Every structure is written in C-alpha cells, then in structure tokens.
Amino acid sequence: MLNEDTPIPVASLPIQAMRDHLRLGTGFAEEGLQDGLLEAYLRAALAVIEGRTGKALLQRVFRWVLDDWRDPAAQALPLAPVRSIQSVTLTDAAGGTTVLDPQVYRVIADLHRPRLAPTGQLLPSVPGGGQVEVVFTAGFGALWTDVPADLRQAVLMLAADLYERRDEMGLREQGLPFAILSLIERWRTVRLLGGGTA
C-alpha cells in the first residue's frame, strides 16, 4: 500500500505552462477561470505518467506499508528517484512499533529501481502478523523545471489531450497516444522475473 503524505501544492503545478501550451488567451477578465480545470487535468496527467514510468515527477513524501520484505538483502522501493528515507517502522501483531535506527539501513540510489538495503547482512525481520512502514521522499525536485524535459512535455501533452477531449468521454481509443508513449519510453522500468527481485 503506497500513499502520498504530501500532495503536490498548486504553486508547483505548471498551470501557466499549460495555458501557454493550449494557447489560451491572456489579458481578459476571465483569464483565470479555467485554472481549476487545468489543475485537475494536470494532476490526472501527472498520475498517469508517474504510474506508467514508476517515477515521482515532483518531490513529495510517500508512506509505503508492506507485510514483509520481498528480499531482506535489498528491498526494491516502489518509486524513483528516492531522495531520502525519513523512517522505517516495524509493527507487531499487537500493534507495538519499533522505529529502526537509520544506521541499520541505507538507500542504494538508482534512477529506475532504488533499493533499501541493510548496512549489515539482512534487513531486520518483520514480526509475524505485523508489517513494515517506510516513509521516504521521492521526486526529481520541488520545481517543475527540475523534471526532465521529455517528461514535462508528456504531462503537458496528456493534460492538453484530456482537456480538449473532455466532452468525448467513452468515445476515444484506449491507451496513451503514440507521441506520449515515445516521450516516456526511456523512463519506463523494465521488470525482470515478474518483479520478483530488485
């Protein structure tokens, strides 16, 4: 279970870039009336591109809960790029918690599959019937300009497509347009062995 602890603030969204991309008029009294709609489509486009690539585009804090380590020698994290680990907490079946000392784990940085690894042999065991919670910061940066140019373009193109076809729900083809797929292709994570190892 992966949850976003800190949603993207409106100020970080490229609303003006989206207005420019759509060539919306400026200088009119109703200039900002579309901003709420643009925000909604930008958030939807970000979610799609992040889901397809496994990348957090704009930096924020995530909370990941799992029943056990898939591989106690190095647990692959669900998003990249990971900036830092805030905490790793073990919870037993009775609800008791233990916050791990940051000295017992480290992040193995990787643009596609970052991993949480032990500083010793193995990550601490998850109690039977319990769970582990990892709180971490992921994303290319806090600013829209920190996001790689091809991913920025993919988000704008998808948001514009959603905006322009908002009255055609259910009438369009399935999947992403080829141009958007081409832009995100190099960022997609290749999973080997059915995702069984990091």
Side-chain angles (χ1 to χ4, degrees):
M1 174 106 38
L2 179 66
N3 291 306
E4 187 178 301
D5 270 13
T6 55
I8 299 169
V10 176
S12 296
L13 292 172
I15 291 176
Q16 184 56 51
M18 180 71 171
R19 292 177 61 79
D20 295 343
H21 184 81
L22 292 169
R23 296 185 176 91
L24 295 179
T26 59
F28 298 100
E30 68 275 10
E31 181 175 334
L33 292 180
Q34 295 280 332
D35 287 358
L37 191 59
L38 299 181
E39 177 190 344
Y41 286 122
L42 281 167
R43 288 187 187 279
L46 277 163
V48 169
I49 299 302
E50 288 184 340
R52 286 292 185 107
T53 61
K55 308 294 179 288
L57 302 190
L58 288 166
Q59 186 172 303
R60 54 213 193 270
V61 177
F62 295 88
R63 185 176 304 271
W64 188 40
V65 178
L66 57 162
D67 293 333
D68 201 357
W69 306 117
R70 177 166 264 182
D71 182 355
Q75 172 63 55
L77 294 165
L79 286 174
V82 171
R83 296 290 179 186
S84 63
I85 302 287
Q86 270 77 2
S87 65
V88 178
T89 304
L90 301 176
T91 303
D92 60 31
T97 60
T98 302
V99 179
L100 298 184
D101 185 334
Q103 300 297 319
V104 305
Y105 59 82
R106 63 192 176 92
V107 175
I108 299 175
D110 186 277
L111 191 56
H112 294 293
R113 295 296 280 172
R115 290 171 290 162
L116 180 68
T119 51
Q121 292 291 321
L122 298 172
L123 291 164
S125 298
V126 178
Q131 61 185 25
V132 58
E133 176 189 86
V134 182
V135 179
F136 63 97
T137 299
F140 289 101
L143 303 175
W144 181 243
T145 52
D146 295 329
V147 178
D150 47 0
L151 293 176
R152 291 199 312 265
Q153 186 64 26
V155 169
L156 290 176
M157 287 173 65
L158 180 55
D161 187 60
L162 293 170
Y163 175 86
E164 290 170 350
R165 295 174 183 253
R166 61 191 179 277
D167 296 324
E168 301 177 20
M169 291 306 152
L171 301 177
R172 57 172 298 171
E173 67 280 358
Q174 297 293 316
L176 293 177
F178 179 75
I180 295 172
L181 288 172
S182 298
L183 287 168
I184 68 173
E185 183 61 32
R186 77 181 182 108
W187 296 101
R188 296 181 68 193
T189 301
V190 176
R191 297 178 190 270
L192 301 176
L193 306 174
T197 60

